[in-house]
Structures are given as structure tokens and as C-alpha cells.
């Protein structure tokens, strides 16, 4: 079976990351794109892209029809739906799909210790292990590790910086090196993975746009805005504990506390240092210019 990938179906093309991946794949002449969307969804997509509407429970027969003749599935379904992910894997194999991009796109989950501060990621480990158990059945997989979403996280406050109040929440000393990626870069990386199937098969791929510190981000924000920012101090341990307690109660706002509590602690969570990067393999820049990117985000410009 040829490894070449042309026809790609995207699951979860809306949301924070979906539009960036959809744009990167749709603008690449090597791919013909379609979308899998729940019937209950009101999201609209470009008229030239075929949309397969399926029942919200993702019935196998409807998935099989949508996956027919597809070379690859890019899966961005919520990671809390572990059973759904396993069904997607099984049906994709049955349909003859060549490559599945797992719903990763985050921090360094290949290491089991990442589930300690972020219990919700246990689902990712379960899904990955299930996929690995199916490797002999002919479909390959890739997990893309990118760090925290920089542009979305800066705009949303997820990274601890409030653009409206000019307040920064600094974890520990603020000097731990942390990996971040622009949404557009994640989209380009996803397309490049599918263009290089042999080099990216059955493994995690690691990319970033920046490896920088909170203090460097703060300095860039102060330079760009022309104002000194207010600083609030916290610790990675405290934020991780807040996140765990919230998630135990079913409060998913704790996810951000847990993720950044891990990410800003550096060390074993610094995948660029510990595992190396695949930016060169995928034809991505080694690093973006931090202050210029921050300036665009503050101005509301696209990055």
C-alpha cells in the first residue's frame, strides 16, 4: 500500500485549534479535505469543503461511510471521550485509512509523569496505548507535541497574562524555559507530517515556535504596551494543586491551572531540551521573534 496521503478528513475542525489546521491543509494543493461534524453542531465551513454530518454518538456505520477512501484522519475530538477515540481508531483501520493524527497537540504527554499534575491527560495515554496495540493492523499514527498555544493563550489569559488589566501571574521565579507554539505553526506542522509519512510514522513529533520564559514574555509585553505591568506571584505546585482539586469536583476550569503549573515548572516538561525538536524535518522556523509576535497579538493582528 502506497504511503502517499492525499485525501484527509478532519474531526473537530472548529474550536481553538481546528481552524488553523483546516486552513493549513485546505491551502496545501497536495490534499483534498473533508470534515466530520456532529449533526448537532451549528458551525459552518467553507462551501467548497465536503462536510460529513454524523450523529453525536459517532455510530460506526456513519463513521465508516465518512472514512471510506480517506488516506488520513486528523482527530481533534475532546480527549475526555476515550471510548469515542477507540471507536474512531477501529473504524479507521476497517476503512483502510493509512494515517491517524491523534488528538494530542499539547504538552509532553508521551512521558507518563505528565498525567500526575494533569489527570485529564490519562485519557491521552489510554488512547495512545490502544493505538499502539493496533499498529500491526496496517494504520500508522502520529502524536504532535507543541507545548502551550501561544497566541490563543496570550489573548485568552490562559498563559497567566491579562492584556486588558496588564496583570501578569508569575509562577515561581518566572525563569523556567517553556515551550509554546503558534496555532498557525501547529497547522503547518500537521500538513508537513502528512507530507512526510515515512519519517513521522508511529511516533511523537515535537515542535515549538518559542522556548522562552514568563519573564521574557512579560518584558516583551511591557515594551510593546509601554507600561509596567502588575505582578501577582504563585507557584507551580500551588497551581497544580488548584487544578487537581477543581477537576476532582468536575470543574474543568482547573485544566488551565494544572497544565501551566506543569509547563512552567520546566525540567522534565521541557521537551525541547529532553527530546529535541522536529522543526527542521517539517520545514518550520527554528524559532519565531518573540517581541514582534507579541506586538501583533496585542494589536489584534494575525500571527
Amino acid at each position: 500500500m502506497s504511503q502517499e496521503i492525499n485525501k484527509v478528513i478532519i474531526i473537530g475542525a472548529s474550536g481553538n485549534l481546528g481552524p488553523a489546521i483546516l486552513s493549513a491543509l485546505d491551502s496545501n494543493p497536495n490534499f483534498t479535505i473533508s470534515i466530520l461534524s456532529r449533526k448537532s453542531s451549528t458551525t459552518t465551513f467553507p462551501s467548497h469543503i465536503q462536510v460529513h454530518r454524523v450523529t453525536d454518538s459517532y455510530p460506526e456505520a456513519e463513521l465508516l461511510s465518512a472514512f471510506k477512501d480517506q488516506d488520513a484522519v486528523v482527530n481533534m475530538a475532546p480527549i475526555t471521550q476515550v471510548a469515542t477515540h477507540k471507536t474512531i481508531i477501529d473504524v479507521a483501520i476497517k476503512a483502510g485509512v493509512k494515517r491517524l493524527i491523534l488528538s494530542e497537540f499539547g504538552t509532553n504527554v508521551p512521558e507518563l509523569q505528565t498525567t500526575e499534575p494533569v489527570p485529564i491527560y490519562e485519557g491521552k495515554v489510554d488512547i495512545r496505548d490502544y493505538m499502539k496495540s493496533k499498529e500491526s493492523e496496517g494504520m500508522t499514527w502520529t502524536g504532535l507535541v507543541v507545548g502551550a498555544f501561544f497566541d490563543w493563550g496570550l489573548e485568552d489569559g490562559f498563559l497567566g497574562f491579562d492584556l486588558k488589566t496588564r496583570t501578569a501571574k508569575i509562577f515561581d521565579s518566572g525563569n523556567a524555559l517553556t515551550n509554546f507554539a503558534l496555532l498557525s505553526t501547529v497547522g503547518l506542522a500537521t500538513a508537513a507530517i502528512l507530507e512526510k509519512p515515512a519519517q513521522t510514522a508511529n511516533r511523537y513529533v515535537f515542535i515549538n515556535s518559542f522556548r522562552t520564559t514568563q519573564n521574557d514574555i512579560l518584558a516583551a509585553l511591557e515594551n510593546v504596551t509601554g507600561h509596567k505591568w502588575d505582578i501577582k506571584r504563585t507557584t507551580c505546585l500551588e497551581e497544580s494543586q488548584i487544578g487537581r482539586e477543581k477537576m476532582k469536583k468536575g470543574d474543568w476550569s482547573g485544566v488551565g491551572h494544572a497544565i501551566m503549573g506543569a509547563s512552567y515548572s520546566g525540567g522534565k516538561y521541557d521537551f525541547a531540551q529532553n527530546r529535541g525538536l522536529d522543526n527542521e524535518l517539517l520545514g518550520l522556523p527554528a524559532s519565531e521573534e518573540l517581541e514582534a509576535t507579541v506586538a501583533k497579538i496585542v494589536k489584534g493582528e494575525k500571527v
Side-chain angles (χ1 to χ4, degrees), residues 83-101:
T84 296
H85 284 269
K86 292 181 178 180
T87 298
I88 288 169
I89 290 169
D90 290 338
V91 176
I93 292 171
K94 188 174 182 180
V97 171
K98 300 173 185 177
R99 174 65 55 89
L100 174 67
I101 305 293

Side-chain angles (χ1 to χ4, degrees), residues 117 119 169 171 233-259 261:
K169 181 167 66 173
F171 295 53
R233 296 285 177 180
T234 186
T235 68
C236 291
L237 178 61
E238 180 181 354
E239 293 298 317
S240 295
Q241 290 174 337
I242 291 171
R244 281 197 297 269
E245 290 304 314
K246 285 190 172 186
M247 285 186 282
K248 283 180 183 178
K249 299 175 183 176
D251 180 356
W252 299 115
S253 69
V255 172
H257 294 275
I259 289 176

Side-chain angles (χ1 to χ4, degrees), residues 42-275:
T42 58
T43 303
T44 58
F45 301 100
S47 59
H48 67 279
I49 298 177
Q50 182 181 10
V51 180
H52 301 269
R53 300 281 180 183
V54 299
T55 305
D56 286 17
S57 59
Y58 294 101
E60 181 175 333
E62 294 180 29
L63 288 177
L64 191 60
S65 176
F67 290 171
K68 183 181 178 182
D69 298 325
Q70 300 289 344
D71 296 316
V73 175
V74 177
N75 186 8
M76 290 178 282
I79 60 171
T80 53
Q81 302 171 4
V82 174
T84 296
H85 284 269
K86 292 181 178 180
T87 298
I88 288 169
I89 290 169
D90 290 338
V91 176
I93 292 171
K94 188 174 182 180
V97 171
K98 300 173 185 177
R99 174 65 55 89
L100 174 67
I101 305 293
L102 296 175
S103 187
E104 292 285 351
F105 308 107
T107 50
N108 187 16
V109 296
E111 313 302 344
L112 284 174
Q113 67 262 32
T114 306
T115 63
E116 295 171 5
V118 193
I120 193 174
Y121 279 5
E122 292 172 1
K124 287 191 176 187
V125 176
D126 190 0
I127 295 161
R128 178 210 51 207
D129 289 347
Y130 187 76
M131 180 65 248
K132 291 183 72 173
S133 75
K134 301 285 184 175
E135 287 178 359
S136 63
E137 298 185 35
M139 183 175 70
T140 57
W141 62 274
T142 307
L144 180 56
V145 178
V146 305
F149 298 155
F150 188 78
D151 40 344
W152 171 81
L154 201 56
E155 293 167 356
D156 183 76
F158 191 89
L159 303 183
F161 300 93
D162 189 323
L163 298 182
K164 293 181 179 179
T165 64
R166 298 186 184 125
T167 302
K169 181 167 66 173
I170 300 298
F171 295 53
D172 297 334
S173 69
N175 289 323
L177 286 164
T178 305
N179 295 281
F180 304 91
L182 300 173
L183 295 179
S184 59
T185 303
V186 179
L188 293 173
T190 302
I193 286 168
L194 297 177
E195 289 180 310
K196 298 178 180 290
Q199 298 98 316
T200 59
N202 295 337
R203 74 177 184 93
Y204 280 89
V205 171
F206 299 85
I207 65 125
N208 68 15
S209 299
F210 307 99
R211 180 172 175 259
T212 190
T213 70
Q214 299 167 80
N215 288 334
D216 286 339
I217 297 170
L218 176 60
L221 284 165
E222 290 184 334
N223 287 340
V224 166
T225 61
H227 291 273
K228 291 293 291 183
W229 280 43
D230 293 328
I231 296 175
K232 296 180 179 179
R233 296 285 177 180
T234 186
T235 68
C236 291
L237 178 61
E238 180 181 354
E239 293 298 317
S240 295
Q241 290 174 337
I242 291 171
R244 281 197 297 269
E245 290 304 314
K246 285 190 172 186
M247 285 186 282
K248 283 180 183 178
K249 299 175 183 176
D251 180 356
W252 299 115
S253 69
V255 172
H257 294 275
I259 289 176
M260 297 319 300
S263 297
Y264 281 147
S265 65
K268 62 185 178 182
Y269 303 107
D270 180 6
F271 59 81
Q273 174 68 29
N274 300 323
R275 300 292 289 268

